[in-house]
Every structure is written in structure tokens, then in C-alpha cells.
Amino acid sequence: MEPMEPEQDQDAGQLYQRRIARRFAAFDQDGDGTISREDFSTAAKRLLTEFEVSFRSDRGQALCDGAEAFWQGMAGIADVDGDQRVSREEFVGGAVKRLHDHPERFAEIARPFLHAVLAIAATPADVERALLALGVDTEPAALSARTLPTVASGQVDEAAAVTAFAHYFMTE
């Protein structure tokens, strides 16, 4: 493979930065331009409502705990100024720079939340519903759900889903 010319490398870097900035919106559930603890709890509430799971149930508590753990992990790597909010610039500059070459680190941050989501939304059809509830557009939600590997029971393969999630958010 030929090395990239400096212009091509710069264009690829800018394209990557723009892609990651757009992915920021998936976390910004309230659309206020920052990612916060509230965005993660909003995501959990939307899923609990969509799947009619009680907050007080074991699955509900696991989802809320997973959302909190995900927020703590995200804030730990990206909240550079310590204001308990991750701006787009912090997300792109902090999280991406630290995790681009190591998406498995991001997977570890997301794993408790994704484990809890898959306990509620176990099949590809359920994952599509979950993505729609979280504000993902119809076509990408359907495509994402259809392409997830499943195990013999028809449920989504959790390890593959976690890896796919991390690669989607952290790699080109």
C-alpha cells in the first residue's frame, strides 16, 4: 500500500474528525451541544419506556447502573475541564485521540450499559427498536440491527455487539 500524500492524510484526518463529531450527536440525547450524565439517564429512561421495563426491576436497575458507568467512563476520558459536561471539542479531541487506536478501551467503558441493553433488547428486531428509541434514524437503525451477529438462540452476540459499537464510534 502506498503512503498517503500529506494532503490526502490531512483530508482523511478531517473526514474522520467530522464523522466522529456527527457521532457525538448520538450521545447528546437532549441536543444541548454537550454530553452529560443526564443524556445517559435519558437514554436509559427511553429504553425502559420503550420496552416497558420497570426502573425498580433488576433489568431496570442494571440499565441505569450501566448508563451511569458509561457516563463515568466517558467523563473520565473526555471531560478535560472537569465541568461534568463533554463538549463536542472534548469528545473529538479527548476521547477520539485517546481511543482511536484502542477502541477496545471504549468497548470496556460501554460494556456494562450494552450488556444491560441487550438484556432488554436481545434480538436484532429489539435492537432496532432500541436504536429508534434513542433517536437513530430508521435506515441506519435497521441496517445496524440486521448486521449484528446472533447466537444459536437468535439473540444478538453480546461480544460482537460491543466490539461493533466501539469500532463504529472510535474508528474510521
Side-chain angles (χ1 to χ4, degrees), residues 4-171:
M4 289 183 130
E5 296 294 323
E7 279 182 22
Q8 289 175 315
D9 191 35
Q10 184 178 11
D11 289 345
Q14 290 173 348
L15 177 62
Y16 175 69
Q17 294 285 329
R18 285 193 302 270
R19 284 181 184 161
I20 293 299
R22 284 193 306 265
R23 290 174 181 152
F24 170 89
F27 289 109
D28 183 13
Q29 290 284 299
D30 61 11
D32 71 352
T34 63
I35 302 170
S36 66
R37 173 178 278 114
E38 292 79 22
D39 290 308
F40 284 86
S41 62
T42 296
K45 289 174 190 172
R46 287 180 179 171
L47 292 170
L48 292 172
T49 299
E50 176 65 27
F51 291 94
E52 298 178 359
V53 173
S54 169
F55 171 80
R56 293 178 187 247
S57 70
D58 289 344
R59 292 185 311 159
Q61 285 296 294
L63 185 64
C64 293
D65 291 347
E68 176 63 19
F70 199 177
W71 161 246
Q72 290 294 327
M74 175 75 73
I77 59 168
D79 184 17
V80 177
D81 61 12
D83 67 353
Q84 294 297 298
R85 299 187 115 29
V86 176
S87 68
R88 183 181 314 269
E89 293 75 25
E90 285 175 318
F91 182 77
V92 172
V96 173
K97 283 182 183 174
R98 291 183 181 149
L99 299 173
H100 177 265
D101 293 331
H102 303 285
E104 68 279 358
R105 290 183 190 158
F106 186 75
E108 289 308 311
I109 293 167
R111 186 176 309 281
F113 181 68
L114 294 175
H115 175 76
V117 169
L118 291 173
I120 293 170
T123 67
D126 289 341
V127 169
E128 183 176 354
R129 276 179 61 200
L131 291 170
L132 291 170
L134 294 173
V136 175
D137 291 333
T138 304
E139 191 173 316
L143 178 62
S144 295
R146 278 196 315 266
T147 59
L148 286 171
T150 57
V151 294
S153 66
Q155 295 183 331
V156 171
D157 180 313
E158 183 176 328
V162 169
T163 299
F165 183 82
H167 281 277
Y168 173 77
F169 277 98
M170 290 297 133
T171 64

